[in-house]
Amino acid sequence: MTTRRTFLKTGSAAAVTAAVIGPRGLPASAPRPQTRGLYTDPATRELMMEALDAARRAGATWADVRISRNRANSIQTRERQVTDVVDADTIGCGVRVLVDGCWGFAATEALTRPGVGTAAQEAVAVARANRVAQDRRVTLAQAPAHKDVTWKSAYEIDPFTVPVEQKADLLLRANAEALRAPNVRFVNSGLSFVKEERNYANTDGSVITQDYVRSWVTLACTAVGNGDFATRGPEVVQPAGRGWEYVLEADIVTNARIWGEEAAEKLKAKSVEVGRYDLILHPSQLFLTIHETIGHATELDRAMGYEANLAGTSFISPPEQVLGALKLGPAFMNVIGNRSERGALSTIGYDDDGVQPQDFHIVKDGVFVDYQTTREQAPWLEWWYTKQGRPVQSHGCSYAQSWADVQFQRMPNVSLQPGDRDLSWNDLIAATDRGIAMIGRASYSIDQQRYNGQFGAQVCYEIRNGRITGQVKDVAYQMRSPEFWNSLDMLGGRSSYMHGGTFNDGKGQPGQSNAVSHGCPPARFRNQNVINTGRA
């Protein structure tokens, strides 16, 4: 990785985006030992040490450096044709420094000793310039150095080794199956992959190399008839921190016909009657509500007003009034922040502060107890950790989307833990007299404090006396976050626990994209307000 090597190849136009699964979705992956990742090659190490030395010589009291290669590949299709193929590949170096308690950052594609040295000097100059706008002096929480460690994400087959012809063939065969379903006239499908080769070093002595892959499959079936249309998808398979083997396990050719039939049934479904219902939310739908109402709301920079871009601030604020006091749900509700779940999108061995993340409770026994933090942010809550008898340490939530972007706090996997009883999706339905079961993410909106929201689903089923009677359409529930979570009264068990996630979660200015998963079982929420989105 010592040669400057940046190229971009872009095919024809078109785009797609998204993330999710249905009742035939893949369960959360079982834990397995991580295999050894890449080694830090001598030339990359030499460049990183040169950058750190140059930063010290220029006056930095602390510095870190990242040299990474970021690759992306996607292919999109529609019915019987390929509409878009994109490959992107970039490599470079980012240097971050602390000078007089202020951050500075600079990046370069010049992977030479003079190149990284100049970037380090520029980062120091930026830090000195930033002193005029200093709000509080940056103090980093203590963290152990990790010397010469490696980590590899949970992929077995590198999707960048799979020929584009093989990817196109899989999608086109899935499209053909979906088109066999009644009334299905349009099918769009796509595959997207990201691979990051990440090298990191800091002046604490850490030298870390990591190898990360994530994959995403989309497919949308649209049924048409009687002057109307209905769509299932595009998020029918959850994105994951895994490789080509995950795409094959999803068996999209077989499932495409089922997704098409669901779209056809939805086309003929009755429109929902507004009113109060018990809602049973599948993990493919519930993950998004977790993401928006708990994930974003417990980012400490949002809660303290330092960040508002792309998801606003937070109703879980100020920290001194809500930590240990805000009741977010029933006593059996527990939410864990982690970067350790195998195959989840935010899972990583070491964050971009050089911290090895530890699992932590965000909600414990129904009470809010902690925020997502970096090394910079953890000292902001020293009073709370001291009161709890806990060390002041980062939760390992630092991330930058590439070598050219400065790292900051990003969301870990935020996961609702399963219940003590191993209840299934069908058990929750059988226990419900009048309700609606909702599967798959769809249109939603939420305010800038993540307090008032409205969420739809791809397919919804009416429940009467413990049985599904058929699909209903035009369903969305309105909620206020604390009331919604306190209405939780049933949780699925460990065997029904799944991951949902998003491939592209935006934050910051300039904006950066992160990928994050949320594990959860199906869950029941009592007496929710359901509206009809099809009425004028």
Side-chain angles (χ1 to χ4, degrees), residues 387-464:
K387 183 179 178 181
Q388 299 297 305
R390 297 160 53 191
V392 180
Q393 60 185 22
S394 166
H395 291 315
C397 300
S398 178
Y399 176 80
Q401 70 173 4
S402 82
W403 55 268
D405 299 284
V406 62
Q407 55 266 63
F408 66 138
Q409 189 274 314
R410 297 311 311 268
M411 197 183 299
N413 306 309
V414 174
S415 297
L416 174 65
Q417 300 305 290
D420 293 335
R421 298 172 61 198
D422 198 18
L423 300 177
S424 68
W425 168 258
N426 290 335
D427 291 333
L428 270 60
I429 291 171
T432 302
D433 291 330
R434 181 176 184 270
I436 296 174
M438 303 176 71
I439 298 169
R441 68 176 284 182
S443 176
Y444 74 99
S445 65
I446 190 165
D447 70 22
Q448 289 295 293
Q449 279 71 51
R450 331 314 286 171
Y451 188 74
N452 297 283
Q454 174 178 310
F455 292 83
Q458 290 181 26
V459 290
C460 300
Y461 295 93
E462 184 178 45
I463 302 168
R464 291 287 185 181

Side-chain angles (χ1 to χ4, degrees), residues 75-299:
I75 178 170
Q76 309 298 328
T77 72
R78 176 175 174 174
E79 288 92 53
R80 299 173 182 84
Q81 59 186 327
V82 175
T83 58
D84 190 35
V85 177
V86 175
D87 279 290
D89 192 341
T90 179
I91 185 171
C93 172
V95 183
R96 185 177 61 159
V97 302
L98 273 177
V99 177
D100 296 335
C102 278
W103 288 120
F105 176 79
T108 181
E109 294 177 304
L111 292 181
T112 61
R113 289 174 64 92
V116 300
T118 299
Q121 293 168 2
E122 291 174 351
V124 170
V126 170
R128 291 199 168 108
N130 282 341
R131 288 180 298 191
V132 297
Q134 186 179 46
D135 174 53
R136 66 166 75 197
R137 186 180 181 87
V138 174
T139 302
L140 299 182
Q142 294 296 311
H146 301 284
K147 300 179 180 179
D148 300 316
V149 295
T150 64
W151 182 88
K152 177 179 178 292
S153 68
Y155 74 91
E156 297 170 10
I157 303 174
D158 183 346
F160 288 82
T161 65
V162 178
V164 67
E165 293 84 358
Q166 188 174 341
K167 296 172 180 173
D169 176 68
L170 178 67
L171 294 175
L172 293 176
R173 284 190 292 122
N175 292 359
E177 280 301 315
L179 287 168
R180 291 191 175 95
N183 296 101
V184 171
R185 298 291 180 266
F186 306 103
V187 182
N188 296 79
S189 60
L191 293 167
S192 299
F193 304 98
V194 168
K195 182 175 175 64
E196 299 176 355
E197 299 168 14
R198 307 158 64 94
N199 295 278
Y200 174 93
N202 64 26
T203 51
D204 295 333
S206 289
V207 179
I208 300 166
T209 294
Q210 302 185 91
D211 178 10
Y212 173 86
V213 164
R214 64 177 185 263
S215 304
W216 185 22
V217 187
T218 58
L219 190 144
C221 314
T222 300
V224 179
N226 300 320
D228 200 359
F229 70 94
T231 299
R232 174 73 161 109
E235 298 103 344
V236 289
V237 177
Q238 293 293 341
R242 298 183 58 198
W244 181 248
E245 76 285 352
Y246 178 74
V247 175
L248 298 180
E249 290 170 14
D251 194 9
I252 62 171
V253 176
T254 300
N255 285 320
R257 179 68 174 269
I258 298 170
W259 295 323
E261 291 171 349
E262 289 173 344
E265 182 184 354
K266 182 178 180 180
L267 180 68
K268 299 176 181 178
K270 67 179 182 180
S271 194
V272 70
E273 292 295 328
V274 300
R276 293 274 176 178
Y277 294 85
D278 293 343
L279 299 181
I280 299 176
L281 304 184
H282 188 269
S284 61
Q285 199 283 336
L286 180 57
F287 93 87
L288 183 62
T289 307
I290 295 171
H291 177 82
E292 299 296 344
T293 63
I294 298 178
H296 279 309
T298 58
E299 295 172 276

